[in-house]
Amino acid sequence: MRYFIIFSYDGSKYNGYQKQPNKKTVQGELEQVLKKINSNNTVSVSASGRTDAGVHAINQCAHFDLRNDIEESRLRKSINGLLPKDIYIKALKKVSDDFHARFNVKAKEYIYKINMGEYNPIECEYIYQYNKSLNIEEMKRALKYLEGTHNFRSFTKADDVKDDYRRTIMKTDITISAKDKITISLLGNGFMRYMVRNIIGVLIEIGEGKRKSEDIIAILKLEDRTKAGKTAPAQGLYLNKVIY
Amino acid sequence: MRYFIIFSYDGSKYNGYQKQPNKKTVQGELEQVLKKINSNNTVSVSASGRTDAGVHAINQCAHFDLRNDIEESRLRKSINGLLPKDIYIKALKKVSDDFHARFNVKAKEYIYKINMGEYNPIECEYIYQYNKSLNIEEMKRALKYLEGTHNFRSFTKADDVKDDYRRTIMKTDITISAKDKITISLLGNGFMRYMVRNIIGVLIEIGEGKRKSEDIIAILKLEDRTKAGKTAPAQGLYLNKVIY
């Protein structure tokens, strides 16, 4: 029986989503709990994609197969009861065997939070403490240049070799979420490794006036990672939504 | 030379403010850093009061003496450079030798955050995950009964023996801080151990309809800890302000 879950986690406590030997990972915790529920038989959890160390998820999605047909709300409660408090299953439902949480993804939304105000030690794992003001209008203009289908090689992890670096960004936005705090959102059909954090890195340089919004166009055209900016820290990044 | 500091910390990473042997505490971290700055001579930090394990501070205050007269902004930067990222000095100024960060306190404000919406693993160390709705109007009425000077013995730690359990609460409020999230604030001339969390414990029982707002009057009159409710968890509590 195949189950689909929507779950949330605090990435600051984990070495990323993906299972790694001898490291605390979100997938590792989930599979350990599911093994108990599956009469001690190993369970593989397939998520929509990995998130790196320190990156949070508000609505990550995954599927897994269990030997038994268990009532949805009961199963969800059992799993949550066994999971650590920093991982939580928000929804669980049975799906057909041909559903795949990674292959069936249509779009994903990431959000990135920045504090332009005073350094705040209480939120330092959850909001990037940039602590200087940014030109939000200029950043918004830059984001608009990213919308559409482009070759995003300049924004991927340098050693990530792919057949195709083209991705489509459907929607971008920046909202002021609280005093001196902004949330940048990116909705796209796929994001390569470090792509969001590399985009945010350039956006910050645009916001601080080191680059102009139009520079985004030139960076995209160069298709060269070394031409973009720094990778923004993991702390501000959240996987917000997965669309199937 | 005496220095006064206003500082902020993430209490989830510490065994409370107050120094304890072989435990990670906020005072311990501060004194270790100040000792380095004070040419390896021990420095005692006197805060406005302790905060328990898991309790956060937005504007905690303290004083300490150093051998040398150091320029304020330089000293603040040096300390922040050596402190862990979850403790941060927001302000530092020289004060006269007769200033005392504990004895001179006129009032303190605590805030308590509750999430009435869905469980959120990302904020579970920062907002009490109550995850059910509360009758906020009834809680506001109850808070009003606490304003003024009362004997708060019913709301202190049971084994805390004091000469005088009277304290004055000058102002109370509940605001909706985000969707399904509330922030309760209490401004008073002094708070005994667990007093805020015990008040919140009763308030929650009032908000869920187990008690009426007027019950607060009877609980105060009984002067008996066993007559109040549960102690609310540390996670939602913040020392917000110290007034001198």
Side-chain angles (χ1 to χ4, degrees):
Chain A
M1 178 58 65
R2 183 156 290 188
Y3 298 89
F4 169 76
I5 52 170
I6 302 176
F7 59 112
S8 178
Y9 49 84
D10 177 347
S12 68
K13 313 294 199 306
Y14 295 93
N15 293 298
Y17 170 77
Q18 199 171 46
K19 204 163 53 170
Q20 295 171 69
N22 306 317
K23 284 194 172 171
K24 200 182 152 196
T25 64
V26 179
Q27 187 184 4
E29 296 288 330
L30 272 171
E31 292 187 354
Q32 208 181 302
V33 165
L34 289 169
K35 191 179 171 185
K36 284 181 198 158
I37 287 168
N38 201 34
S39 325
N40 228 27
N41 294 297
T42 304
V43 179
S44 287
V45 176
S46 296
S48 72
R50 66 180 95 175
T51 53
D52 291 313
V55 176
H56 313 289
I58 300 171
N59 294 292
Q60 168 69 291
C61 295
H63 80 259
F64 54 83
D65 298 331
L66 296 184
R67 299 203 162 189
N68 296 319
D69 184 340
I70 310 172
E71 195 272 314
E72 293 166 341
S73 76
R74 234 190 79 215
L75 178 59
R76 187 173 84 93
K77 276 182 198 143
S78 311
I79 303 172
N80 279 330
L82 293 166
L83 280 173
K85 64 182 174 179
D86 42 30
I87 306 175
Y88 178 74
I89 315 284
K90 297 167 87 167
L92 179 149
K93 63 174 185 184
K94 292 170 192 171
V95 284
S96 68
D97 281 356
D98 59 359
F99 175 86
H100 196 289
R102 183 152 63 93
F103 303 145
N104 294 16
V105 172
K106 288 215 171 56
K108 276 184 184 181
E109 186 182 65
Y110 279 93
I111 63 173
Y112 195 92
K113 297 184 183 183
I114 301 176
N115 177 23
M116 305 187 299
E118 192 183 13
Y119 180 81
N120 185 341
I122 301 170
E123 62 189 27
C124 67
E125 298 287 358
Y126 306 97
I127 304 179
Y128 171 39
Q129 300 297 311
Y130 179 71
N131 308 128
K132 289 183 285 270
S133 18
L134 290 164
N135 183 337
I136 298 168
E137 288 314 310
E138 193 69 9
M139 290 164 79
K140 271 191 188 173
R141 268 192 293 277
L143 275 173
K144 291 299 158 202
Y145 293 123
L146 289 177
E147 293 184 7
T149 303
H150 305 283
N151 181 314
F152 283 96
R153 183 160 202 172
S154 297
F155 293 98
T156 58
K157 193 161 178 286
D159 55 2
D160 222 10
V161 180
K162 298 255 179 213
D163 290 336
D164 189 355
Y165 295 89
R166 277 175 308 169
R167 295 290 183 278
T168 303
I169 292 184
M170 283 87 96
K171 197 170 177 264
T172 63
D173 203 5
I174 307 186
T175 53
I176 296 172
S177 44
K179 189 180 168 284
D180 294 327
K181 284 172 197 166
I182 57 170
T183 299
I184 301 162
S185 62
L186 290 163
L187 175 72
N189 70 346
F191 292 92
M192 291 172 285
R193 201 144 191 223
Y194 294 172
M195 181 170 148
V196 180
R197 288 162 60 189
N198 289 339
I199 288 173
I200 303 295
V202 172
L203 265 192
I204 288 172
E205 291 181 348
I206 290 166
E208 66 193 1
K210 283 190 192 154
R211 294 180 191 251
K212 294 201 175 306
S213 56
E214 312 86 69
D215 290 1
I216 282 270
I217 308 168
I219 295 169
L220 279 171
K221 278 201 184 126
L222 287 165
E223 298 178 13
D224 178 356
R225 172 68 196 120
T226 63
K227 296 299 180 291
K230 283 182 215 156
T231 304
Q235 283 73 25
L237 185 60
Y238 296 73
L239 172 56
N240 191 39
K241 219 182 276 177
V242 183
I243 297 161
Y244 289 98
Chain B
M1 179 57 68
R2 182 156 293 187
Y3 299 88
F4 169 76
I5 52 170
I6 302 176
F7 58 111
S8 179
Y9 50 83
D10 178 347
S12 68
K13 312 295 199 304
Y14 295 93
N15 294 296
Y17 170 78
Q18 199 172 45
K19 201 163 57 170
Q20 295 170 68
N22 307 316
K23 284 194 173 172
K24 199 181 154 197
T25 64
V26 179
Q27 186 184 6
E29 296 288 329
L30 272 171
E31 293 187 354
Q32 209 180 303
V33 165
L34 290 169
K35 190 180 173 185
K36 284 181 197 157
I37 288 169
N38 201 33
S39 326
N40 228 26
N41 295 295
T42 304
V43 179
S44 287
V45 176
S46 296
S48 72
R50 67 180 94 174
T51 54
D52 291 312
V55 176
H56 314 289
I58 300 170
N59 293 292
Q60 168 68 291
C61 295
H63 79 259
F64 55 82
D65 298 330
L66 296 183
R67 298 202 163 191
N68 296 319
D69 183 339
I70 309 172
E71 195 271 314
E72 293 166 341
S73 77
R74 235 191 78 217
L75 179 58
R76 187 173 83 92
K77 276 181 197 142
S78 311
I79 303 172
N80 279 330
L82 293 167
L83 279 173
K85 64 182 173 178
D86 42 29
I87 306 176
Y88 179 72
I89 314 283
K90 297 167 87 166
L92 179 149
K93 64 174 183 184
K94 292 171 192 169
V95 284
S96 69
D97 282 355
D98 58 0
F99 175 86
H100 196 288
R102 183 152 64 93
F103 303 145
N104 293 15
V105 172
K106 287 216 172 54
K108 276 185 183 180
E109 186 182 65
Y110 279 94
I111 62 173
Y112 196 92
K113 297 184 184 182
I114 301 176
N115 176 22
M116 303 187 298
E118 193 184 13
Y119 180 81
N120 186 339
I122 301 170
E123 62 189 28
C124 67
E125 298 286 358
Y126 305 98
I127 304 179
Y128 171 38
Q129 300 297 311
Y130 179 70
N131 309 126
K132 289 183 285 272
S133 11
L134 290 164
N135 183 336
I136 299 168
E137 288 314 309
E138 193 70 9
M139 290 164 80
K140 270 192 187 169
R141 269 192 292 278
L143 275 173
K144 290 300 159 202
Y145 292 124
L146 289 177
E147 293 185 7
T149 303
H150 305 283
N151 181 314
F152 282 95
R153 183 160 202 173
S154 297
F155 293 98
T156 58
K157 193 161 177 286
D159 56 0
D160 223 10
V161 180
K162 298 255 179 216
D163 290 336
D164 189 355
Y165 296 90
R166 277 175 307 168
R167 296 290 185 276
T168 302
I169 291 183
M170 283 87 96
K171 198 170 176 265
T172 64
D173 203 5
I174 307 186
T175 54
I176 296 172
S177 43
K179 190 181 167 281
D180 293 326
K181 284 173 197 165
I182 57 169
T183 299
I184 301 162
S185 63
L186 290 163
L187 176 72
N189 70 345
F191 292 92
M192 291 171 285
R193 201 142 191 221
Y194 294 169
M195 183 170 146
V196 180
R197 288 163 60 191
N198 290 339
I199 287 173
I200 303 296
V202 172
L203 266 191
I204 288 172
E205 291 182 347
I206 290 166
E208 65 193 1
K210 283 190 193 156
R211 293 179 191 252
K212 295 203 174 306
S213 57
E214 311 88 69
D215 290 2
I216 281 271
I217 308 168
I219 296 169
L220 280 171
K221 277 201 184 128
L222 286 167
E223 297 177 14
D224 177 356
R225 173 68 197 120
T226 62
K227 296 300 181 290
K230 283 184 215 155
T231 304
Q235 283 73 25
L237 185 60
Y238 296 73
L239 172 57
N240 190 39
K241 220 182 275 177
V242 182
I243 297 162
Y244 289 99

